[in-house]
Amino acid sequence: MKGMTTCELPAVQVPGLLSTRFVRLLVMVFGSGLSMYLLTSVVPLYLAANGSGGVGVGLSTGAMMFAAVAVELLVPRMLARWGYQVVLGLGLVLLGAPSLVLLATASLPIVLAVCVVRGAGLAILVVGAVALVAEVAPSTRRGEALGVYGVAVGVPAVIGLPLGVYLTNLIGFDALFVLAAVASLAGLVTLIGLPAASTEKQQVRVLGGVRGSGLLMPTFVFASVTVAAGISVTFLPLAVAGGNHSLVAAALLLQAIAAPIARWLAGRYADRIGPARVLGPALVLAAAGAAGLIFFGNPIAILAGSVLFGTGFGAAQNLTLTLMYNRVDRSRYGQVSALWNLAYDGGWGAGAILFGAIVGGTGYPLAFALTAAVVAAAVVPAVRAA
């Protein structure tokens, strides 16, 4: 009708995501991730080349991850007492500097000690960084922020996992150890401008109040996937016939590319429809990919399995973490980060150690089949949660 005006709805303000603090955090995460992934598959190769058997190789990954698990229980308390800058700086030093010790020796006890110290640094960085993402990101875009963080973590895997294996024949182990140290220590300059401490008093007990909180299911579901992840990056280079480093590098590259892409996409969908509804399909993909490694003598099966597993693994990373953050208030962000990383590193380390212990008796096909079964078992609680 004439004389009437339409009401204009105010534009919805979408909070910005890439703030200066978030970008600094992403740069630090990239460098520390590169330091980790350059040596993830190289240290087992280094030990194998110097006479350590399958148990020793598995212990190298297990030592790093179980050291990380032990320290992750302490990180929320460290953050509450000293703040993000000090604690993250300590993590960068512990992750990077011990790599230089490997220049002097390949003795299994010393290498394992290096892995333990690096695991402590890794624990500090992953728990602190994930908690800081939730701190600085808008709550309405948390899933997407965790997806972007996943890309910052995943790109070093894309570069480091295959590049580390490839460069062992090109520049040697020593140059890789130096490169890994520099990549982590350079991140110290990015700490300027990051928040000194959380805006709220934090829950410092990692296991306190977990029962009935809704955090146990995503924690154990994610651990089942990380079991397979630790096995694939540790033993695939040893399982492939003839030590075909080019094939292994290609498989690790595809897995590393698929994971951050899936992690980002899963975050976007989780913000819209909820993470629980996407978690089941993600685990199905991960289980199918792990099953592909049973046919480790077939290059197509290895490459296809790596893509499927990387996709499911990357999506599960984001979905389980977003689900956990959505179930708690801000005061428990550090606790959620620690629990999630316990699942990550505990599963990774347990997978490597157990696989190394049983593969000599079962052979690689059956051992990989058992790995796929562990992942597949997690589909049921994930579907029920939806």
Side-chain angles (χ1 to χ4, degrees):
M1 295 176 63
K2 292 182 179 181
M4 293 185 63
T5 59
T6 59
C7 294
E8 295 184 0
L9 295 175
V12 176
Q13 296 295 322
V14 178
L17 190 61
L18 295 178
S19 63
T20 301
R21 295 188 302 177
F22 192 29
V23 171
R24 286 180 179 274
L25 174 61
L26 295 177
V27 172
M28 184 207 70
V29 165
F30 178 89
S32 60
L34 185 62
S35 177
M36 174 191 170
Y37 285 113
L38 275 173
L39 301 189
T40 297
S41 293
V42 166
V43 169
L45 287 175
Y46 182 58
L47 286 171
N50 287 277
S52 295
V55 173
V57 169
L59 283 175
S60 67
T61 298
M64 182 173 183
M65 293 309 172
F66 280 119
V69 166
V71 174
E72 280 162 358
L73 293 169
L74 306 176
V75 176
R77 188 177 298 274
M78 294 168 65
L79 291 172
R81 183 169 183 177
W82 296 312
Y84 288 110
Q85 288 180 325
V86 172
V87 174
L88 290 175
L90 176 63
L92 290 169
V93 172
L94 293 179
L95 179 65
S99 303
L100 300 176
V101 176
L102 300 178
L103 297 171
T105 180
S107 168
L108 180 60
I110 296 178
V111 173
L112 293 180
V114 168
C115 292
V116 166
V117 177
R118 295 189 79 230
L122 175 66
I124 292 171
L125 291 168
V126 294
V127 174
V130 172
L132 192 52
V133 171
E135 187 83 31
V136 302
S139 59
T140 56
R141 302 184 70 182
R142 183 178 296 140
E144 186 176 1
L146 290 170
V148 174
Y149 166 80
V151 172
V153 174
V155 170
V158 171
I159 299 171
L161 280 174
L163 186 62
V165 174
Y166 175 74
L167 290 180
T168 54
N169 294 326
L170 191 63
I171 63 175
F173 290 112
D174 288 354
L176 281 170
F177 298 150
V178 173
L179 183 59
V182 171
S184 183
L185 295 175
L188 291 170
V189 300
T190 67
L191 297 179
I192 302 171
L194 291 182
S198 174
T199 56
E200 294 190 19
K201 185 177 180 180
Q202 290 289 301
Q203 159 74 273
V204 297
R205 292 186 303 157
V206 174
L207 302 180
V210 172
R211 181 176 296 180
S213 64
L215 299 179
L216 286 179
M217 184 280 292
T219 298
F220 285 111
V221 163
F222 183 52
S224 71
V225 187
T226 62
V227 164
I231 289 170
S232 65
V233 300
T234 302
F235 286 96
L236 188 59
L238 305 178
V240 173
N244 190 338
H245 287 184
S246 296
L247 176 60
V248 173
L252 293 176
L253 175 63
L254 290 174
Q255 178 176 315
I257 290 174
I261 294 174
R263 192 168 180 176
W264 173 65
L265 290 175
R268 289 181 62 87
Y269 280 106
D271 285 340
R272 299 173 185 175
I273 65 175
R277 296 179 63 183
V278 195
L279 184 56
L283 292 175
V284 170
L285 290 176
L293 299 183
I294 297 171
F295 309 100
F296 61 88
N298 186 321
I300 295 177
I302 291 175
L303 296 177
S306 296
V307 172
L308 289 174
F309 181 76
T311 301
F313 179 47
Q317 289 179 61
N318 192 311
L319 297 168
T320 51
L321 186 56
T322 303
L323 187 62
M324 293 169 74
Y325 275 130
N326 289 350
R327 293 180 174 183
V328 301
D329 57 37
R330 186 180 290 270
S331 67
R332 299 180 71 178
Y333 283 176
Q335 180 190 27
V336 164
S337 177
L339 279 173
W340 185 84
N341 281 290
L342 282 171
Y344 195 122
D345 299 331
W348 194 294
I353 290 177
L354 292 175
F355 194 95
I358 69 173
V359 70
T362 65
Y364 281 108
L366 180 56
F368 281 130
L370 292 173
T371 303
V374 170
V375 182
V379 174
V380 176
V383 171
R384 292 179 62 185

